[in-house]
Amino acid sequence: MSRPSIAEVSTLIADLAAFRQNRTCGEYAALMEQKADLLERIAADAPGDAETAEVARLARERAVALKPAN
């Protein structure tokens, strides 16, 4: 798992700001998936940091909960 770049984090922040202007459920779920991916990569880059790992785990749980049932 590669460490996220500043550009990827900046893109997420910009996407979150744009979401505030035009809220749709599908966009929110995709953003939370993107957020969880980035946080998991950050946690993987910080082994032994329990707090970072917990934040990533919670973000993934939220992203999974938002996925539409097929």
Side-chain angles (χ1 to χ4, degrees), residues 12-29:
L12 175 62
I13 292 168
D15 289 348
L16 288 168
F19 171 75
R20 289 182 182 159
Q21 300 300 315
N22 182 17
R23 297 173 187 231
T24 66
C25 186
E27 288 177 8
Y28 184 67

Side-chain angles (χ1 to χ4, degrees), residues 9-46:
V9 174
S10 294
T11 297
L12 175 62
I13 292 168
D15 289 348
L16 288 168
F19 171 75
R20 289 182 182 159
Q21 300 300 315
N22 182 17
R23 297 173 187 231
T24 66
C25 186
E27 288 177 8
Y28 184 67
L31 282 172
M32 294 304 100
E33 180 75 22
Q34 182 182 359
K35 176 183 170 184
D37 290 346
L38 285 172
L39 289 172
E40 286 175 340
R41 290 169 54 202
I42 290 168
D45 195 54

